[in-house]
Amino acid sequence: MDGIINIYKEKGFTSHDVVAKARGILRQKKIGHTGTLDPDATGVLPICIGEATKIVPYLSDANKTYEAEVILGAYTTTEDASGEVVEEFSVEVSNEQVLDVLATFVGAYEQTPPMYSAIKINGQRLYELARQNIVIDRPSRMVEILELEQMSPLKDGRFKIRVVCSKGTYVRTLCTDIGRKLKCGAHMGELTRTRVGEFDIEQSVTLKQLEKLNAEEILISIEKMFEQYPAVVVDQSYNKFLYNGNPLEVKIAAAGLFFRVYDYMNHFIGLYKWSGEKLIVEKMFYKEGK
């Protein structure tokens, strides 16, 4: 089985748990996920099966959409509601002030990753240090907030936001930074990821549903992930070069950097890159006789 399944991760599961359970349900060893979700978070977690594990980096790089609750009045150790409160504030801000602050985060945004994260520094996961009450300096990095809107108005010190952001954005850190700008502290409450690239929460399935479904019927093909690129079908004389992953000296009618390449029987071979003279393998997914 080769392809992608759009899983809805339920609360209480780690992303690793989802992969482990999917291996058992599908009886497939080769499975990978496309971006960690915290155990308390819910939502879209596409899993890649078989040859599709080769495209995990492409999906991990995709923009993501989240819905999150911002809780004003306190900072926590984890930057979300699961952590211990480290500082409290009185909340004396208006909804108009909230809207003004939200607008300042749209665009490029320098963010410092939280201590409770899986990022490695000097070979150690930050969360491993955090559990030992060790806090170290973390290099900040640029992320991008493409869209940020308030979903519900400020009430009892809380409001909800919808965020469309780039790879590597920590939404709980965004919530904390919103509180910092409002000068009343904040942390994140509930979090749901509603979209990863083309994968939407409306089409996702839970692990329980996966047990009852025919996986082949909901499996999304690898080539669909690259359908934005032009297709090139080569004739039978190219077989030897094609299946061995050699560069292809072909004439290209369409313009572009990347192309989907198919053999003469219309089998999807892989993603190729145009060098200006040849098509060179970027990622290969099919070999003769498979």
Side-chain angles (χ1 to χ4, degrees):
M1 190 183 295
D2 302 305
I4 306 99
I5 293 179
N6 184 3
I7 295 291
Y8 176 87
K9 190 193 86 63
E10 296 176 281
K11 198 168 185 176
F13 289 102
T14 66
S15 299
H16 180 75
D17 291 337
V18 172
V19 169
K21 288 180 180 296
R23 284 195 183 110
I25 294 168
L26 301 173
R27 297 180 182 178
Q28 297 278 327
K29 289 184 179 180
K30 201 173 179 181
I31 297 181
H33 68 74
T34 57
T36 303
L37 265 180
D38 292 338
D40 286 342
T42 60
V44 175
L45 184 70
I47 59 170
C48 295
I49 304 159
E51 287 295 297
T53 54
K54 294 178 181 177
I55 67 171
V56 165
Y58 295 92
L59 294 178
S60 298
D61 286 348
N63 293 335
K64 299 171 178 68
T65 303
Y66 297 89
E67 293 178 1
E69 180 185 39
V70 182
I71 304 174
L72 301 179
Y75 295 126
T76 70
T77 52
T78 57
E79 300 186 347
D80 63 17
S82 70
E84 296 178 9
V85 173
V86 293
E87 194 173 3
E88 292 186 276
F89 304 83
S90 60
V91 180
E92 298 176 2
V93 299
S94 66
N95 198 65
E96 288 71 21
Q97 288 174 295
V98 168
L99 291 172
D100 288 343
V101 164
L102 292 182
T104 66
F105 284 95
V106 178
Y109 155 47
E110 190 171 0
Q111 188 180 74
T112 302
M115 277 302 303
Y116 280 88
S117 64
I119 293 172
K120 275 188 177 181
I121 293 183
N122 297 326
Q124 275 196 293
R125 301 281 186 189
L126 287 177
Y127 67 77
E128 293 172 347
L129 297 173
R131 287 170 181 169
Q132 301 172 52
N133 295 318
I134 298 172
V135 177
I136 63 171
D137 289 333
R138 289 94 65 201
S140 61
R141 56 190 183 182
M142 295 303 294
V143 296
E144 187 174 7
I145 307 298
L146 290 90
E147 298 177 29
L148 178 57
E149 63 175 336
Q150 189 182 46
M151 293 181 65
S152 64
L154 176 64
K155 183 179 181 182
D156 299 327
R158 300 173 181 233
F159 59 94
K160 289 186 177 181
I161 57 173
R162 175 182 170 274
V163 188
V164 182
C165 56
S166 65
K167 171 192 176 183
T169 304
Y170 283 90
V171 178
R172 50 196 160 103
T173 300
L174 172 63
C175 294
T176 297
D177 288 344
I178 288 169
R180 190 169 284 115
K181 276 200 174 184
L182 287 169
K183 298 181 180 179
C184 65
H187 58 279
M188 186 182 75
E190 295 182 348
L191 177 69
T192 299
R193 186 157 67 192
T194 60
R195 195 173 186 86
V196 174
E198 298 302 312
F199 296 95
D200 189 84
I201 197 168
E202 296 298 326
Q203 285 77 48
S204 62
V205 297
T206 65
L207 289 170
K208 285 185 179 180
Q209 289 173 324
L210 185 61
E211 289 177 333
K212 300 174 183 178
L213 292 168
N214 180 347
E216 296 284 357
E217 292 181 357
I218 59 170
L219 193 70
I220 299 162
S221 68
I222 297 169
E223 62 184 294
K224 187 171 176 59
M225 297 298 98
F226 303 114
E227 62 183 4
Q228 70 271 33
Y229 301 122
V232 173
V233 180
V234 301
D235 63 42
Q236 194 169 358
S237 63
Y238 279 92
N239 279 5
K240 182 179 177 181
F241 300 99
L242 196 62
Y243 299 134
N244 289 329
N246 294 319
L248 304 174
E249 296 183 3
V250 296
K251 292 181 179 180
I252 299 295
L257 180 60
F258 291 105
F259 294 84
R260 289 174 289 134
V261 173
Y262 296 78
D263 68 9
Y264 76 104
M265 294 179 68
N266 216 35
H267 295 131
F268 175 59
I269 303 301
L271 183 68
Y272 280 63
K273 189 175 183 178
W274 180 244
S275 70
E277 297 179 350
K278 301 175 182 179
L279 281 173
I280 299 170
V281 173
E282 178 77 8
K283 285 289 180 182
M284 194 165 179
F285 302 102
Y286 180 90
K287 291 184 178 179
E288 186 181 23
K290 183 179 176 184

